[in-house]
Amino acid sequence: MPENPQPLSGNEMPRFGGIATFMRLPGTTAPTDLDVAVVGVPLDTGTSNRPGARFGPRGIRDESVLLRPYNMATRAAPFDSLRIDDTGDVAASPYDLLAAVEAIEEHFDGLLADDVMTASMGGDHTVVLPILRAMARKHGPVGLVHIDAHTDINDTMFGSRVAHGTPFRRAVEEGLLAGDRVVQIGVRGTGYAADDFDWSRQQGFRVVQAEECWHRSLEPLMVEVRDQLGEGPVYLSFDIDGLDPAYAPGTGTPEIGGLTMPQALEVIRGCRGLDLVGCDLVEVAPIYDTSGMTSLVGANLLYEMLCVLPGVDVRG
Ligand code: MN
Ligand code: MN
């Protein structure tokens, strides 16, 4: 096996030069030679309000050029520990949502057949349904750490069963999740009825509303989450609107009073030790954010996820 794929240094090619892959990885490694496939899912046909998450993967790749390989805070060295590369995007139809969902599922089935973990860039949150279908086919029902302003457990939206606000209802119905190993963090805002959050609780999910997170460190919460989720496969899904719009305005359905940037880092870093089998960062819609900040945040959070995957060494 050749040397691990490495991000291109800013001293070899200026950071603003070259072809944009996630973190300037080579983008040439076959999935069969990888431990982790970074994959873009440019789809926003499932969006209920402002579209634009189809540009998420490009935005994240663009802003990820500034990232360096070593995590100064946690001492994780993901690219030395694991073979990680950007494997490109899923070719999902922008015209036919159900066909797109099928294409995503097939794509992830292929990646998982090669025994890779996946780190995905959305796309709106619809994309997690076909990903979870592939994950459950491979690993059985998975635990879930879900950060979001919304529980995404609607039965239907405008009559459709597949949309960005329904994936976790479908996932429960299809037996993709281990209900008592699911936590939803950061939910808030206006709803239609109390059931918006209570349905989750009735499934055995732990629902942590944003108000419970205000003004405090989330490190103690993550101790409890690790305890609750225990052994067994876990999927991590991070909707960027879990963050307060002050940090991530470039998204389709922003809600006030969200998580802070340090809290987001505490949640992801608190996932170290879980048996993560895949992760995603969804709902980045760069066009609502002229500063590029939301994509920059998305790139950093996806990097932090790579740092807590099983097998990543922590180096002095
Ligand atoms: Mn969501
Ligand atoms: Mn959301």
Side-chain angles (χ1 to χ4, degrees):
M1 191 76 74
E3 197 182 305
N4 284 5
Q6 293 289 333
L8 183 61
S9 164
N11 299 313
E12 285 178 61
M13 166 69 81
R15 296 210 165 272
F16 40 85
I19 295 168
T21 55
F22 183 70
M23 285 188 70
R24 298 159 38 103
L25 284 159
T28 52
T29 318
T32 44
D33 292 335
L34 289 177
D35 300 309
V36 183
V38 178
V39 52
V41 193
L43 176 82
D44 62 12
T45 325
T47 305
S48 56
N49 190 35
R50 310 193 298 204
R54 66 179 61 183
F55 300 112
R58 289 214 166 192
I60 291 169
R61 286 189 179 105
D62 216 9
E63 296 300 333
S64 74
V65 299
L66 189 58
L67 296 179
R68 305 164 193 90
Y70 181 70
N71 192 319
M72 301 303 290
T74 67
R75 300 176 178 250
F79 302 99
D80 290 347
S81 311
L82 297 174
R83 296 181 58 78
I84 305 170
D85 204 354
D86 188 336
T87 59
D89 289 342
V90 181
S93 167
Y95 304 112
D96 183 338
L97 183 58
L98 295 181
V101 162
E102 219 167 274
I104 296 165
E105 189 176 335
E106 201 174 300
H107 189 96
F108 278 77
D109 276 339
L111 291 171
L112 296 184
D114 289 326
D115 285 320
V116 297
M117 293 177 274
T118 59
S120 310
M121 304 174 274
D124 72 50
H125 224 154
T126 312
V127 307
V128 79
L129 176 61
I131 295 173
L132 285 174
R133 284 173 176 161
M135 290 287 161
R137 191 172 293 120
K138 170 92 178 178
H139 301 287
V142 294
L144 175 72
V145 178
H146 171 208
I147 302 94
D148 203 322
H150 315 96
T151 48
D152 292 350
I153 52 78
N154 290 285
D155 186 18
T156 59
M157 296 178 82
F158 222 85
S160 293
R161 289 169 55 79
V162 173
H164 78 154
T166 67
F168 299 109
R169 168 88 63 145
R170 297 289 90 79
V172 167
E173 290 169 351
E174 296 177 22
L176 313 179
L177 298 176
D180 56 347
R181 297 180 62 240
V182 175
V183 59
Q184 299 186 297
I185 303 171
V187 301
R188 61 189 188 273
T190 50
Y192 290 108
D195 188 54
D196 292 358
F197 295 169
D198 290 346
W199 188 89
S200 287
R201 294 188 171 108
Q202 286 155 13
Q203 312 314 308
F205 297 5
R206 178 168 183 187
V207 178
V208 182
Q209 294 187 217
E211 289 77 3
E212 297 171 57
C213 303
W214 287 356
H215 316 301
R216 66 182 64 174
S217 164
L218 297 188
E219 277 181 13
L221 169 68
M222 293 312 293
V223 173
E224 294 173 12
V225 167
R226 289 195 299 274
D227 205 43
Q228 180 193 344
L229 271 56
E231 309 286 314
V234 175
Y235 188 82
L236 169 59
S237 188
F238 200 121
D239 182 329
I240 197 82
D241 72 28
L243 278 165
D244 192 85
Y247 303 94
T251 194
T253 47
E255 307 282 355
I256 63 165
L259 302 184
T260 66
M261 200 64 246
Q263 288 175 326
L265 293 171
E266 286 173 337
V267 169
I268 295 175
R269 290 173 184 174
C271 288
R272 170 174 276 281
L274 292 173
D275 183 15
L276 291 171
V277 291
C279 55
D280 66 55
L281 190 290
V282 298
E283 298 282 1
V284 169
I287 53 177
Y288 305 107
D289 173 6
T290 53
S291 74
M293 172 167 60
T294 311
S295 297
L296 180 71
V297 167
N300 274 275
L301 294 184
L302 197 67
Y303 167 73
E304 292 284 341
M305 293 182 202
L306 297 179
C307 290
V308 296
L309 292 176
V312 171
D313 297 329
V314 172
R315 306 236 165 125

PDB file of all heavy atoms in Angstrom, residues 12-47:
ATOM      1  N   GLU A  12       3.538  24.057  -0.858  1.00  0.00           N
ATOM      2  CA  GLU A  12       3.836  23.392  -2.129  1.00  0.00           C
ATOM      3  C   GLU A  12       3.085  24.040  -3.275  1.00  0.00           C
ATOM      4  O   GLU A  12       3.555  24.077  -4.408  1.00  0.00           O
ATOM      5  CB  GLU A  12       3.441  21.912  -2.054  1.00  0.00           C
ATOM      6  CG  GLU A  12       4.397  21.067  -1.228  1.00  0.00           C
ATOM      7  CD  GLU A  12       3.919  19.623  -1.157  1.00  0.00           C
ATOM      8  OE1 GLU A  12       3.802  18.975  -2.212  1.00  0.00           O
ATOM      9  OE2 GLU A  12       3.636  19.164  -0.036  1.00  0.00           O
ATOM     10  N   MET A  13       1.887  24.471  -2.981  1.00  0.00           N
ATOM     11  CA  MET A  13       1.029  25.163  -3.969  1.00  0.00           C
ATOM     12  C   MET A  13       0.253  26.180  -3.163  1.00  0.00           C
ATOM     13  O   MET A  13      -0.238  25.850  -2.086  1.00  0.00           O
ATOM     14  CB  MET A  13       0.079  24.139  -4.619  1.00  0.00           C
ATOM     15  CG  MET A  13      -1.077  24.717  -5.402  1.00  0.00           C
ATOM     16  SD  MET A  13      -0.601  25.560  -6.924  1.00  0.00           S
ATOM     17  CE  MET A  13      -0.420  24.154  -8.031  1.00  0.00           C
ATOM     18  N   PRO A  14       0.196  27.433  -3.635  1.00  0.00           N
ATOM     19  CA  PRO A  14      -0.569  28.420  -2.858  1.00  0.00           C
ATOM     20  C   PRO A  14      -1.966  27.879  -2.553  1.00  0.00           C
ATOM     21  O   PRO A  14      -2.545  27.137  -3.351  1.00  0.00           O
ATOM     22  CB  PRO A  14      -0.658  29.625  -3.795  1.00  0.00           C
ATOM     23  CG  PRO A  14       0.454  29.464  -4.754  1.00  0.00           C
ATOM     24  CD  PRO A  14       0.699  27.987  -4.901  1.00  0.00           C
ATOM     25  N   ARG A  15      -2.503  28.265  -1.399  1.00  0.00           N
ATOM     26  CA  ARG A  15      -3.792  27.721  -0.944  1.00  0.00           C
ATOM     27  C   ARG A  15      -4.918  28.023  -1.924  1.00  0.00           C
ATOM     28  O   ARG A  15      -5.902  27.297  -1.994  1.00  0.00           O
ATOM     29  CB  ARG A  15      -4.144  28.287   0.436  1.00  0.00           C
ATOM     30  CG  ARG A  15      -3.160  27.855   1.487  1.00  0.00           C
ATOM     31  CD  ARG A  15      -3.763  27.728   2.881  1.00  0.00           C
ATOM     32  NE  ARG A  15      -2.822  26.976   3.715  1.00  0.00           N
ATOM     33  CZ  ARG A  15      -2.806  25.656   3.807  1.00  0.00           C
ATOM     34  NH1 ARG A  15      -3.711  24.938   3.146  1.00  0.00           N
ATOM     35  NH2 ARG A  15      -1.910  25.042   4.531  1.00  0.00           N
ATOM     36  N   PHE A  16      -4.779  29.100  -2.676  1.00  0.00           N
ATOM     37  CA  PHE A  16      -5.828  29.506  -3.622  1.00  0.00           C
ATOM     38  C   PHE A  16      -5.579  28.920  -5.011  1.00  0.00           C
ATOM     39  O   PHE A  16      -6.277  29.229  -5.954  1.00  0.00           O
ATOM     40  CB  PHE A  16      -5.888  31.045  -3.688  1.00  0.00           C
ATOM     41  CG  PHE A  16      -4.524  31.665  -3.674  1.00  0.00           C
ATOM     42  CD1 PHE A  16      -3.813  31.812  -4.847  1.00  0.00           C
ATOM     43  CD2 PHE A  16      -3.931  32.054  -2.473  1.00  0.00           C
ATOM     44  CE1 PHE A  16      -2.536  32.353  -4.835  1.00  0.00           C
ATOM     45  CE2 PHE A  16      -2.660  32.599  -2.451  1.00  0.00           C
ATOM     46  CZ  PHE A  16      -1.949  32.743  -3.634  1.00  0.00           C
ATOM     47  N   GLY A  17      -4.565  28.058  -5.130  1.00  0.00           N
ATOM     48  CA  GLY A  17      -4.268  27.443  -6.430  1.00  0.00           C
ATOM     49  C   GLY A  17      -4.696  25.985  -6.463  1.00  0.00           C
ATOM     50  O   GLY A  17      -5.003  25.387  -5.442  1.00  0.00           O
ATOM     51  N   GLY A  18      -4.699  25.422  -7.643  1.00  0.00           N
ATOM     52  CA  GLY A  18      -5.003  24.002  -7.808  1.00  0.00           C
ATOM     53  C   GLY A  18      -6.496  23.721  -7.891  1.00  0.00           C
ATOM     54  O   GLY A  18      -7.326  24.626  -7.787  1.00  0.00           O
ATOM     55  N   ILE A  19      -6.815  22.453  -8.091  1.00  0.00           N
ATOM     56  CA  ILE A  19      -8.210  22.023  -8.205  1.00  0.00           C
ATOM     57  C   ILE A  19      -8.755  21.772  -6.803  1.00  0.00           C
ATOM     58  O   ILE A  19      -8.095  21.139  -5.993  1.00  0.00           O
ATOM     59  CB  ILE A  19      -8.297  20.731  -9.052  1.00  0.00           C
ATOM     60  CG1 ILE A  19      -7.838  21.044 -10.483  1.00  0.00           C
ATOM     61  CG2 ILE A  19      -9.701  20.158  -9.037  1.00  0.00           C
ATOM     62  CD1 ILE A  19      -7.593  19.820 -11.342  1.00  0.00           C
ATOM     63  N   ALA A  20      -9.947  22.285  -6.527  1.00  0.00           N
ATOM     64  CA  ALA A  20     -10.472  22.214  -5.164  1.00  0.00           C
ATOM     65  C   ALA A  20     -11.049  20.835  -4.852  1.00  0.00           C
ATOM     66  O   ALA A  20     -12.097  20.459  -5.361  1.00  0.00           O
ATOM     67  CB  ALA A  20     -11.538  23.282  -4.957  1.00  0.00           C
ATOM     68  N   THR A  21     -10.337  20.079  -4.024  1.00  0.00           N
ATOM     69  CA  THR A  21     -10.893  18.889  -3.394  1.00  0.00           C
ATOM     70  C   THR A  21     -11.002  19.210  -1.918  1.00  0.00           C
ATOM     71  O   THR A  21     -10.468  20.225  -1.467  1.00  0.00           O
ATOM     72  CB  THR A  21      -9.951  17.678  -3.556  1.00  0.00           C
ATOM     73  OG1 THR A  21      -8.669  18.044  -3.031  1.00  0.00           O
ATOM     74  CG2 THR A  21      -9.825  17.267  -5.009  1.00  0.00           C
ATOM     75  N   PHE A  22     -11.660  18.358  -1.128  1.00  0.00           N
ATOM     76  CA  PHE A  22     -11.739  18.623   0.303  1.00  0.00           C
ATOM     77  C   PHE A  22     -10.331  18.634   0.894  1.00  0.00           C
ATOM     78  O   PHE A  22      -9.568  17.681   0.741  1.00  0.00           O
ATOM     79  CB  PHE A  22     -12.602  17.576   1.010  1.00  0.00           C
ATOM     80  CG  PHE A  22     -12.752  17.864   2.484  1.00  0.00           C
ATOM     81  CD1 PHE A  22     -13.506  18.955   2.912  1.00  0.00           C
ATOM     82  CD2 PHE A  22     -12.116  17.084   3.434  1.00  0.00           C
ATOM     83  CE1 PHE A  22     -13.633  19.249   4.270  1.00  0.00           C
ATOM     84  CE2 PHE A  22     -12.231  17.375   4.790  1.00  0.00           C
ATOM     85  CZ  PHE A  22     -12.983  18.461   5.200  1.00  0.00           C
ATOM     86  N   MET A  23      -9.973  19.725   1.528  1.00  0.00           N
ATOM     87  CA  MET A  23      -8.679  19.918   2.182  1.00  0.00           C
ATOM     88  C   MET A  23      -7.484  19.720   1.240  1.00  0.00           C
ATOM     89  O   MET A  23      -6.412  19.380   1.683  1.00  0.00           O
ATOM     90  CB  MET A  23      -8.540  19.007   3.402  1.00  0.00           C
ATOM     91  CG  MET A  23      -9.361  19.495   4.582  1.00  0.00           C
ATOM     92  SD  MET A  23      -9.015  18.560   6.093  1.00  0.00           S
ATOM     93  CE  MET A  23      -7.357  19.105   6.492  1.00  0.00           C
ATOM     94  N   ARG A  24      -7.709  19.884  -0.077  1.00  0.00           N
ATOM     95  CA  ARG A  24      -6.630  19.712  -1.069  1.00  0.00           C
ATOM     96  C   ARG A  24      -6.043  18.303  -1.039  1.00  0.00           C
ATOM     97  O   ARG A  24      -4.858  18.086  -1.282  1.00  0.00           O
ATOM     98  CB  ARG A  24      -5.529  20.768  -0.861  1.00  0.00           C
ATOM     99  CG  ARG A  24      -6.096  22.179  -1.053  1.00  0.00           C
ATOM    100  CD  ARG A  24      -5.318  23.307  -0.420  1.00  0.00           C
ATOM    101  NE  ARG A  24      -3.886  23.211  -0.455  1.00  0.00           N
ATOM    102  CZ  ARG A  24      -3.097  23.897  -1.292  1.00  0.00           C
ATOM    103  NH1 ARG A  24      -3.614  24.709  -2.193  1.00  0.00           N
ATOM    104  NH2 ARG A  24      -1.820  23.786  -1.227  1.00  0.00           N
ATOM    105  N   LEU A  25      -6.899  17.329  -0.754  1.00  0.00           N
ATOM    106  CA  LEU A  25      -6.493  15.929  -0.865  1.00  0.00           C
ATOM    107  C   LEU A  25      -6.293  15.602  -2.345  1.00  0.00           C
ATOM    108  O   LEU A  25      -6.779  16.323  -3.212  1.00  0.00           O
ATOM    109  CB  LEU A  25      -7.570  15.032  -0.239  1.00  0.00           C
ATOM    110  CG  LEU A  25      -7.571  15.023   1.298  1.00  0.00           C
ATOM    111  CD1 LEU A  25      -8.917  14.553   1.837  1.00  0.00           C
ATOM    112  CD2 LEU A  25      -6.436  14.150   1.845  1.00  0.00           C
ATOM    113  N   PRO A  26      -5.597  14.506  -2.644  1.00  0.00           N
ATOM    114  CA  PRO A  26      -5.317  14.204  -4.060  1.00  0.00           C
ATOM    115  C   PRO A  26      -6.578  13.998  -4.897  1.00  0.00           C
ATOM    116  O   PRO A  26      -6.627  14.375  -6.072  1.00  0.00           O
ATOM    117  CB  PRO A  26      -4.490  12.911  -3.994  1.00  0.00           C
ATOM    118  CG  PRO A  26      -4.023  12.775  -2.595  1.00  0.00           C
ATOM    119  CD  PRO A  26      -4.949  13.570  -1.715  1.00  0.00           C
ATOM    120  N   GLY A  27      -7.592  13.364  -4.307  1.00  0.00           N
ATOM    121  CA  GLY A  27      -8.822  13.116  -5.070  1.00  0.00           C
ATOM    122  C   GLY A  27      -8.661  12.037  -6.121  1.00  0.00           C
ATOM    123  O   GLY A  27      -9.474  11.952  -7.046  1.00  0.00           O
ATOM    124  N   THR A  28      -7.656  11.199  -5.974  1.00  0.00           N
ATOM    125  CA  THR A  28      -7.363  10.203  -7.013  1.00  0.00           C
ATOM    126  C   THR A  28      -7.373   8.769  -6.495  1.00  0.00           C
ATOM    127  O   THR A  28      -7.161   7.833  -7.270  1.00  0.00           O
ATOM    128  CB  THR A  28      -5.956  10.470  -7.602  1.00  0.00           C
ATOM    129  OG1 THR A  28      -5.012  10.560  -6.525  1.00  0.00           O
ATOM    130  CG2 THR A  28      -5.935  11.770  -8.392  1.00  0.00           C
ATOM    131  N   THR A  29      -7.604   8.587  -5.178  1.00  0.00           N
ATOM    132  CA  THR A  29      -7.480   7.245  -4.608  1.00  0.00           C
ATOM    133  C   THR A  29      -8.767   6.450  -4.814  1.00  0.00           C
ATOM    134  O   THR A  29      -9.863   6.973  -4.584  1.00  0.00           O
ATOM    135  CB  THR A  29      -7.183   7.339  -3.090  1.00  0.00           C
ATOM    136  OG1 THR A  29      -6.222   8.369  -2.869  1.00  0.00           O
ATOM    137  CG2 THR A  29      -6.674   6.024  -2.550  1.00  0.00           C
ATOM    138  N   ALA A  30      -8.623   5.214  -5.254  1.00  0.00           N
ATOM    139  CA  ALA A  30      -9.803   4.353  -5.418  1.00  0.00           C
ATOM    140  C   ALA A  30     -10.368   4.013  -4.037  1.00  0.00           C
ATOM    141  O   ALA A  30      -9.610   3.795  -3.097  1.00  0.00           O
ATOM    142  CB  ALA A  30      -9.416   3.072  -6.141  1.00  0.00           C
ATOM    143  N   PRO A  31     -11.706   3.970  -3.902  1.00  0.00           N
ATOM    144  CA  PRO A  31     -12.304   3.635  -2.611  1.00  0.00           C
ATOM    145  C   PRO A  31     -11.780   2.331  -2.022  1.00  0.00           C
ATOM    146  O   PRO A  31     -11.691   2.187  -0.803  1.00  0.00           O
ATOM    147  CB  PRO A  31     -13.801   3.536  -2.936  1.00  0.00           C
ATOM    148  CG  PRO A  31     -13.981   4.461  -4.096  1.00  0.00           C
ATOM    149  CD  PRO A  31     -12.711   4.345  -4.908  1.00  0.00           C
ATOM    150  N   THR A  32     -11.415   1.387  -2.871  1.00  0.00           N
ATOM    151  CA  THR A  32     -10.888   0.106  -2.364  1.00  0.00           C
ATOM    152  C   THR A  32      -9.606   0.302  -1.554  1.00  0.00           C
ATOM    153  O   THR A  32      -9.250  -0.550  -0.755  1.00  0.00           O
ATOM    154  CB  THR A  32     -10.575  -0.869  -3.525  1.00  0.00           C
ATOM    155  OG1 THR A  32      -9.895  -0.134  -4.545  1.00  0.00           O
ATOM    156  CG2 THR A  32     -11.836  -1.472  -4.093  1.00  0.00           C
ATOM    157  N   ASP A  33      -8.904   1.420  -1.778  1.00  0.00           N
ATOM    158  CA  ASP A  33      -7.653   1.687  -1.057  1.00  0.00           C
ATOM    159  C   ASP A  33      -7.844   2.665   0.090  1.00  0.00           C
ATOM    160  O   ASP A  33      -6.867   3.219   0.598  1.00  0.00           O
ATOM    161  CB  ASP A  33      -6.600   2.273  -2.019  1.00  0.00           C
ATOM    162  CG  ASP A  33      -6.131   1.262  -3.038  1.00  0.00           C
ATOM    163  OD1 ASP A  33      -6.214   0.054  -2.748  1.00  0.00           O
ATOM    164  OD2 ASP A  33      -5.691   1.672  -4.134  1.00  0.00           O
ATOM    165  N   LEU A  34      -9.084   2.914   0.490  1.00  0.00           N
ATOM    166  CA  LEU A  34      -9.345   3.941   1.501  1.00  0.00           C
ATOM    167  C   LEU A  34      -9.940   3.364   2.788  1.00  0.00           C
ATOM    168  O   LEU A  34     -10.610   2.336   2.773  1.00  0.00           O
ATOM    169  CB  LEU A  34     -10.332   4.984   0.948  1.00  0.00           C
ATOM    170  CG  LEU A  34      -9.799   5.924  -0.132  1.00  0.00           C
ATOM    171  CD1 LEU A  34     -10.912   6.839  -0.623  1.00  0.00           C
ATOM    172  CD2 LEU A  34      -8.616   6.739   0.381  1.00  0.00           C
ATOM    173  N   ASP A  35      -9.695   4.077   3.865  1.00  0.00           N
ATOM    174  CA  ASP A  35     -10.411   3.840   5.120  1.00  0.00           C
ATOM    175  C   ASP A  35     -11.622   4.763   5.218  1.00  0.00           C
ATOM    176  O   ASP A  35     -12.625   4.417   5.819  1.00  0.00           O
ATOM    177  CB  ASP A  35      -9.500   4.117   6.324  1.00  0.00           C
ATOM    178  CG  ASP A  35      -8.276   3.222   6.328  1.00  0.00           C
ATOM    179  OD1 ASP A  35      -8.439   1.997   6.209  1.00  0.00           O
ATOM    180  OD2 ASP A  35      -7.158   3.762   6.424  1.00  0.00           O
ATOM    181  N   VAL A  36     -11.476   5.975   4.661  1.00  0.00           N
ATOM    182  CA  VAL A  36     -12.542   6.978   4.739  1.00  0.00           C
ATOM    183  C   VAL A  36     -12.721   7.631   3.373  1.00  0.00           C
ATOM    184  O   VAL A  36     -11.748   8.131   2.792  1.00  0.00           O
ATOM    185  CB  VAL A  36     -12.208   8.094   5.755  1.00  0.00           C
ATOM    186  CG1 VAL A  36     -13.373   9.077   5.871  1.00  0.00           C
ATOM    187  CG2 VAL A  36     -11.870   7.519   7.124  1.00  0.00           C
ATOM    188  N   ALA A  37     -13.938   7.615   2.871  1.00  0.00           N
ATOM    189  CA  ALA A  37     -14.256   8.319   1.631  1.00  0.00           C
ATOM    190  C   ALA A  37     -14.988   9.614   1.975  1.00  0.00           C
ATOM    191  O   ALA A  37     -16.036   9.588   2.629  1.00  0.00           O
ATOM    192  CB  ALA A  37     -15.134   7.450   0.735  1.00  0.00           C
ATOM    193  N   VAL A  38     -14.397  10.742   1.576  1.00  0.00           N
ATOM    194  CA  VAL A  38     -15.111  12.017   1.652  1.00  0.00           C
ATOM    195  C   VAL A  38     -15.920  12.123   0.365  1.00  0.00           C
ATOM    196  O   VAL A  38     -15.378  11.919  -0.720  1.00  0.00           O
ATOM    197  CB  VAL A  38     -14.126  13.198   1.785  1.00  0.00           C
ATOM    198  CG1 VAL A  38     -14.887  14.521   1.813  1.00  0.00           C
ATOM    199  CG2 VAL A  38     -13.260  13.039   3.036  1.00  0.00           C
ATOM    200  N   VAL A  39     -17.212  12.401   0.497  1.00  0.00           N
ATOM    201  CA  VAL A  39     -18.062  12.365  -0.699  1.00  0.00           C
ATOM    202  C   VAL A  39     -19.070  13.512  -0.661  1.00  0.00           C
ATOM    203  O   VAL A  39     -19.635  13.827   0.389  1.00  0.00           O
ATOM    204  CB  VAL A  39     -18.732  10.962  -0.829  1.00  0.00           C
ATOM    205  CG1 VAL A  39     -19.433  10.556   0.436  1.00  0.00           C
ATOM    206  CG2 VAL A  39     -19.697  10.911  -1.995  1.00  0.00           C
ATOM    207  N   GLY A  40     -19.233  14.156  -1.790  1.00  0.00           N
ATOM    208  CA  GLY A  40     -20.200  15.246  -1.894  1.00  0.00           C
ATOM    209  C   GLY A  40     -21.545  14.724  -2.387  1.00  0.00           C
ATOM    210  O   GLY A  40     -21.601  13.836  -3.229  1.00  0.00           O
ATOM    211  N   VAL A  41     -22.617  15.300  -1.821  1.00  0.00           N
ATOM    212  CA  VAL A  41     -23.967  14.930  -2.270  1.00  0.00           C
ATOM    213  C   VAL A  41     -24.712  16.223  -2.600  1.00  0.00           C
ATOM    214  O   VAL A  41     -25.457  16.765  -1.785  1.00  0.00           O
ATOM    215  CB  VAL A  41     -24.725  14.124  -1.198  1.00  0.00           C
ATOM    216  CG1 VAL A  41     -25.976  13.495  -1.805  1.00  0.00           C
ATOM    217  CG2 VAL A  41     -23.842  13.044  -0.570  1.00  0.00           C
ATOM    218  N   PRO A  42     -24.482  16.757  -3.801  1.00  0.00           N
ATOM    219  CA  PRO A  42     -25.037  18.062  -4.158  1.00  0.00           C
ATOM    220  C   PRO A  42     -26.499  17.956  -4.578  1.00  0.00           C
ATOM    221  O   PRO A  42     -26.809  17.764  -5.741  1.00  0.00           O
ATOM    222  CB  PRO A  42     -24.152  18.501  -5.336  1.00  0.00           C
ATOM    223  CG  PRO A  42     -23.681  17.229  -5.953  1.00  0.00           C
ATOM    224  CD  PRO A  42     -23.666  16.178  -4.871  1.00  0.00           C
ATOM    225  N   LEU A  43     -27.381  18.092  -3.604  1.00  0.00           N
ATOM    226  CA  LEU A  43     -28.816  17.919  -3.867  1.00  0.00           C
ATOM    227  C   LEU A  43     -29.586  18.854  -2.953  1.00  0.00           C
ATOM    228  O   LEU A  43     -29.306  18.905  -1.752  1.00  0.00           O
ATOM    229  CB  LEU A  43     -29.212  16.466  -3.541  1.00  0.00           C
ATOM    230  CG  LEU A  43     -30.700  16.146  -3.667  1.00  0.00           C
ATOM    231  CD1 LEU A  43     -31.065  15.876  -5.116  1.00  0.00           C
ATOM    232  CD2 LEU A  43     -31.086  14.950  -2.806  1.00  0.00           C
ATOM    233  N   ASP A  44     -30.543  19.614  -3.499  1.00  0.00           N
ATOM    234  CA  ASP A  44     -31.387  20.406  -2.596  1.00  0.00           C
ATOM    235  C   ASP A  44     -32.843  20.387  -3.011  1.00  0.00           C
ATOM    236  O   ASP A  44     -33.621  21.256  -2.634  1.00  0.00           O
ATOM    237  CB  ASP A  44     -30.860  21.844  -2.449  1.00  0.00           C
ATOM    238  CG  ASP A  44     -30.849  22.620  -3.750  1.00  0.00           C
ATOM    239  OD1 ASP A  44     -31.445  22.153  -4.746  1.00  0.00           O
ATOM    240  OD2 ASP A  44     -30.231  23.707  -3.790  1.00  0.00           O
ATOM    241  N   THR A  45     -33.224  19.342  -3.744  1.00  0.00           N
ATOM    242  CA  THR A  45     -34.606  19.224  -4.212  1.00  0.00           C
ATOM    243  C   THR A  45     -35.562  18.906  -3.068  1.00  0.00           C
ATOM    244  O   THR A  45     -36.772  19.022  -3.224  1.00  0.00           O
ATOM    245  CB  THR A  45     -34.694  18.131  -5.292  1.00  0.00           C
ATOM    246  OG1 THR A  45     -33.487  18.155  -6.059  1.00  0.00           O
ATOM    247  CG2 THR A  45     -35.846  18.374  -6.232  1.00  0.00           C
ATOM    248  N   GLY A  46     -35.014  18.506  -1.905  1.00  0.00           N
ATOM    249  CA  GLY A  46     -35.870  18.190  -0.763  1.00  0.00           C
ATOM    250  C   GLY A  46     -36.072  19.357   0.181  1.00  0.00           C
ATOM    251  O   GLY A  46     -36.702  19.225   1.229  1.00  0.00           O
ATOM    252  N   THR A  47     -35.556  20.543  -0.202  1.00  0.00           N
ATOM    253  CA  THR A  47     -35.597  21.715   0.671  1.00  0.00           C
ATOM    254  C   THR A  47     -36.986  22.330   0.739  1.00  0.00           C
ATOM    255  O   THR A  47     -37.670  22.421  -0.278  1.00  0.00           O
ATOM    256  CB  THR A  47     -34.608  22.775   0.137  1.00  0.00           C
ATOM    257  OG1 THR A  47     -33.318  22.171   0.028  1.00  0.00           O
ATOM    258  CG2 THR A  47     -34.525  23.978   1.032  1.00  0.00           C
TER     259      THR A  47
END
